[in-house]
Amino acid sequence: METLPRVGPSLAKKLGRLGLRTVRDLLEHRPHRYEQPVPERPIAEVLAEEEVAIAGEVRTVNVRRPRRRLALVEARISDGTGEVKATWFNQAWLAEKLQPGTRVRLRGSLGRYGFTVKSYDLDGGGATADFAPVYPATEDLTPKRIRELVAAALDLAGEQWDALPAALRVDEQLPSRSDALRALHQPAGLEEAETARKRLAFDELLVFQLGLARRRVGREADTAPALGEPGEVVARYRALLPFTLTDGQERAIADVDGDLAKPKPMERLLQGDVGSGKTVVALYALLRAAEAGFRGALMAPTETLAEQHFLTVEPLCRELGIPVGLLTSSVPARERVGALEARILVGTHALIQEDVDLSDLAVAVVDEQHRFGVEQRRAITGSRSPHVLHMTATPIPRTLALTVYGDLAVSEIAEPPANRKPIVTAWVTEERSSEAYKRLRKHLDDGRQAYVVCPLIEESETSLARAAEREAERLRNGELRGYRVGLLHGRLRPAERRDLMAQFNARELDVLVATTVIEVGVDVPNATIMIVQEADRFGLAQLHQLRGRVGRGAEQSYCLLVSRPGEELTDSARERLEAMVRTTDGFELAEVDLDIRGEGQLLGTRQAGLSDLRFTRLRADRDVIEQARAAADRLVGEAGPLDDEVERFFADREPAA
Ligand code: ADP
Ligand code: MG
């Protein structure tokens, strides 16, 4: 970085804080938007409030300090047609540079303070140009400064080295990397900028896909026990289920059977919306391991979910004569030893990884795996190579799933079980929340159960718990007087939480007042109504997950979203609630969420690899994704300059094995 003109150690340090350490980092620093084109006007023709560019010469300059903490640089600018007072806020140091006679080009608009300057160029430069790039600014580095540095880097770097084989570039009709980088930072128009971005997206996607393909090759020698044909235990399991499997479940099971028959470790992603019945398939896979004399492990992201799974799985397994063990931090160490005798283990990842010698592990199921990053997922299996089934309820379009997981096979459970009625969702304003509770009590009186979700406060887990306690108390003395109300929050001790869930499962509680800890996996089909308080504070994905706690049985279920009236909400909060009322389709909601929140949010920041893609726009770039995938397949066996890129891309992200 310090090879650039006027970059010393202190500036280099500031840049470092933005993750910019080399000239290359700077060149690959993506503008988050471009300035709109604006007309250049003679000063005499500038209209109030209109954003324009003017060009002229400084006549006079002075600095005023009308109050503490406010410094105005005021310069009179003339262009022959007229004169205008231009104003900069809090940049007193600029006055020195704006000496009379200086040529300037200014972009801004005419208002209360004269011509308020948004960006400016002295003696050439590109800050006021149409489509000038805008970089995310930080306190000590303005977009203008970054623009200058990037321009210097572009000049210094000259021809950029291009790792793409020339033939490929020609085939795919891509601009050279140098041209793309220049157009990214200094485009003549938005279309040019977009073409450049796509070329750079292609590069990173290709490198990413190549890395995944290599890894696949590297694992070709791994083996897992081939489990042959389904046996007697899973036949009894099917007979034991109180329902027939959906087509999606049957297909997923057939996929799993196909994988398990081979000595090559299964790497399968099971995708299905909340409540689609993934757990049934998961238990099937685990039983296949057990009946073949091996072990199966079901790993969940939280203790609540692990315990919940245990409560679901244990009675079925008992019936089948297969011992099951629960491994969470709440289970005392001596009991864990007992659990080691079990053929099927249920627990949080941490414990299963730390405590257990799983040399005879044949099948691992990873639930809600979207909550984990790449490293964590790898750590699950460590040096072992069991068959792995990853489950996720975050709907991801298939091509994207292939991009993210690259080397995973995908099974989808597209439809919910047939006896399900779509959850009816209503948006209720706070003034009418008493009606919501009336409705809820009606369900309780009919023998159903309910959830009340507490407002989300952006504070610690502890204050969240305290607020939930107060809310539960308030409800016990108010809307829910006379009913059995339990309270579930993140600060409960594991044993308390387990007892609570067991009580709710056994219908010894009518209502569970809860924080978002119930968001994932809690499964009580008799719960048919949910009230979410201050629903406008929750994210869309979160609301969808929460709502998935009801509608799990044959009864019609309801979700009542309580919030302030629409006029008082932000646009995006209103859009979220409207979307929730309009549809229960997780895929559609994911798309809406993406629209509301913008790029890069589809899967959350922790999603493997995706957060490392800087230029790719997941939805707009499906064609580029396909293109890169196909190219990666062709190039996987070839050595070349791309190797270094692959190494570089993955080096930062993976701790040495
Ligand atoms: P997911 O993990 O996909 O959110 P679950 O596996 O927890 O969903 O299933 C949700 C509920 O649906 C459970 O109560 C389960 O017993 C029930 N269920 C699963 N499969 C079926 C089916 N084929 N028919 C009826 N109910 C089912
Ligand atoms: Mg589940």
Side-chain angles (χ1 to χ4, degrees), residues 68-111:
R68 238 165 65 81
R69 289 168 177 259
L70 179 62
L72 300 178
V73 174
E74 296 175 336
R76 296 212 64 88
I77 311 292
S78 147
D79 70 351
T81 71
E83 221 177 84
V84 69
K85 181 181 74 177
T87 306
W88 286 259
F89 291 87
N90 290 330
Q91 300 173 57
W93 49 272
L94 245 180
E96 206 179 304
K97 295 187 161 187
L98 293 169
Q99 289 312 307
T102 310
R103 300 281 320 161
V104 295
R105 189 172 194 270
L106 309 177
R107 187 181 172 122
S109 56
L110 204 53

Side-chain angles (χ1 to χ4, degrees), residues 78 198 242-243 252 256 277 313 441 476 488 584 593 604 628:
S78 147
K198 284 204 168 195
F243 41 72
V256 167
V313 163
R441 287 193 299 271
R476 281 186 187 119
L488 182 66
T584 53
D593 203 22

Side-chain angles (χ1 to χ4, degrees), residues 278-279 305 309 367-368 521 552:
K278 297 184 291 297
T279 312
L305 185 50
H309 274 315
D367 195 14
E368 306 294 346
R552 300 192 144 242

Side-chain angles (χ1 to χ4, degrees), residues 243-244 246 249 273-280 417 420 523 525 552:
F243 41 72
T244 42
T246 63
Q249 285 170 322
D273 206 347
V274 181
S276 61
K278 297 184 291 297
T279 312
V280 174
R420 294 281 166 73
D523 182 24
R552 300 192 144 242

Side-chain angles (χ1 to χ4, degrees), residues 13-247:
K13 203 162 147 204
K14 286 179 190 170
L15 289 165
R17 260 179 251 137
L18 289 177
L20 305 174
R21 289 187 183 80
T22 64
V23 170
R24 174 169 174 174
D25 291 341
L26 207 48
L27 292 174
E28 293 177 356
H29 190 48
R30 176 179 153 197
H32 66 145
R33 64 181 182 85
Y34 298 90
E35 291 288 8
Q36 292 298 309
V38 296
E40 181 171 321
R41 295 233 195 279
I43 289 175
E45 291 173 24
V46 175
L47 304 171
E49 308 298 340
E50 180 197 25
E51 188 171 333
V52 296
I54 58 174
E57 206 180 283
V58 178
R59 293 279 180 224
T60 61
V61 63
N62 74 305
V63 182
R64 275 203 305 133
R65 298 182 188 275
R67 15 174 237 279
R68 238 165 65 81
R69 289 168 177 259
L70 179 62
L72 300 178
V73 174
E74 296 175 336
R76 296 212 64 88
I77 311 292
S78 147
D79 70 351
T81 71
E83 221 177 84
V84 69
K85 181 181 74 177
T87 306
W88 286 259
F89 291 87
N90 290 330
Q91 300 173 57
W93 49 272
L94 245 180
E96 206 179 304
K97 295 187 161 187
L98 293 169
Q99 289 312 307
T102 310
R103 300 281 320 161
V104 295
R105 189 172 194 270
L106 309 177
R107 187 181 172 122
S109 56
L110 204 53
R112 217 148 70 80
Y113 292 92
F115 192 86
T116 303
V117 178
K118 247 178 77 181
S119 56
Y120 63 94
D121 289 302
L122 314 175
D123 321 312
T128 60
D130 289 348
F131 310 109
V134 182
Y135 303 91
T138 60
E139 244 167 58
D140 40 27
L141 267 177
T142 61
K144 180 175 169 64
R145 190 75 186 97
I146 294 178
R147 220 178 264 142
E148 287 163 7
L149 288 165
V150 170
L154 282 168
D155 289 343
L156 185 89
E159 264 322 275
Q160 272 294 299
W161 184 71
D162 200 331
L164 280 196
L168 177 66
R169 217 186 71 211
V170 173
D171 285 351
E172 308 286 352
Q173 301 185 323
L174 297 165
S176 79
R177 190 166 170 88
S178 295
D179 288 349
L181 286 169
R182 192 164 281 281
L184 179 76
H185 296 290
Q186 299 173 350
L190 292 181
E191 218 167 287
E192 197 183 290
E194 178 63 6
T195 309
R197 185 194 62 74
K198 284 204 168 195
R199 153 73 213 245
L200 299 168
F202 179 84
D203 283 11
E204 66 186 2
L205 285 165
L206 177 62
V207 165
F208 183 48
Q209 296 288 348
L210 265 178
L212 293 178
R214 298 259 158 93
R215 205 188 276 166
R216 197 155 52 223
V217 172
R219 274 202 315 249
E220 253 160 21
D222 288 354
T223 58
L227 300 182
E229 294 292 306
E232 170 264 341
V233 173
V234 289
R236 280 195 288 134
Y237 170 60
R238 281 169 171 278
L240 209 58
L241 289 173
F243 41 72
T244 42
L245 298 178
T246 63
D247 290 349

Side-chain angles (χ1 to χ4, degrees), residues 178-446:
S178 295
D179 288 349
L181 286 169
R182 192 164 281 281
L184 179 76
H185 296 290
Q186 299 173 350
L190 292 181
E191 218 167 287
E192 197 183 290
E194 178 63 6
T195 309
R197 185 194 62 74
K198 284 204 168 195
R199 153 73 213 245
L200 299 168
F202 179 84
D203 283 11
E204 66 186 2
L205 285 165
L206 177 62
V207 165
F208 183 48
Q209 296 288 348
L210 265 178
L212 293 178
R214 298 259 158 93
R215 205 188 276 166
R216 197 155 52 223
V217 172
R219 274 202 315 249
E220 253 160 21
D222 288 354
T223 58
L227 300 182
E229 294 292 306
E232 170 264 341
V233 173
V234 289
R236 280 195 288 134
Y237 170 60
R238 281 169 171 278
L240 209 58
L241 289 173
F243 41 72
T244 42
L245 298 178
T246 63
D247 290 349
Q249 285 170 322
E250 287 290 3
R251 267 195 308 274
I253 282 176
D255 291 342
V256 167
D257 280 335
D259 293 345
L260 295 183
K262 295 175 211 141
K264 179 173 169 295
M266 167 168 76
E267 280 282 352
R268 183 168 291 279
L269 177 69
L270 178 58
Q271 240 181 259
D273 206 347
V274 181
S276 61
K278 297 184 291 297
T279 312
V280 174
V281 178
L283 183 52
Y284 177 91
L286 295 168
L287 289 169
R288 294 268 346 249
E291 73 176 2
F294 296 93
R295 264 211 280 207
L298 173 52
M299 309 183 186
T302 66
E303 301 233 322
T304 310
L305 185 50
E307 285 152 11
Q308 185 64 36
H309 274 315
F310 182 74
L311 292 174
T312 314
V313 163
E314 201 269 340
L316 281 163
C317 287
R318 193 175 339 124
E319 196 88 17
L320 296 168
I322 305 284
V324 193
L326 176 66
L327 277 182
T328 63
S329 62
S330 62
V331 180
R334 59 195 138 73
E335 283 175 41
R336 278 183 223 156
V337 178
L340 299 191
E341 306 305 310
R343 292 287 91 200
I344 292 177
L345 288 170
V346 181
T348 54
H349 301 91
L351 280 160
I352 290 189
Q353 281 153 228
E354 282 163 23
D355 284 22
V356 190
D357 163 30
L358 289 174
S359 42
D360 57 352
L361 182 70
V363 174
V365 176
V366 183
D367 195 14
E368 306 294 346
Q369 71 85 45
H370 65 283
R371 297 196 150 203
F372 302 93
V374 132
E375 286 78 22
Q376 279 164 302
R377 267 193 280 145
R378 175 127 1 103
I380 288 159
T381 51
S383 57
R384 300 180 292 268
S385 56
H387 297 290
V388 183
L389 184 65
H390 305 270
M391 305 202 289
T392 179
T394 305
I396 314 172
R398 201 181 180 90
T399 45
L400 294 188
L402 289 174
T403 310
V404 186
Y405 304 109
D407 45 356
L408 293 194
V410 181
S411 299
E412 268 165 347
I413 305 182
E415 326 83 37
N419 62 357
R420 294 281 166 73
K421 302 189 181 70
I423 300 161
V424 174
T425 303
W427 176 6
V428 184
T429 55
E430 261 157 20
E431 303 90 85
R432 302 184 49 209
S433 71
S434 64
E435 284 168 44
Y437 282 97
K438 203 159 134 198
R439 183 94 157 261
L440 184 136
R441 287 193 299 271
K442 175 93 178 34
H443 280 248
L444 301 182
D445 295 340
D446 289 344

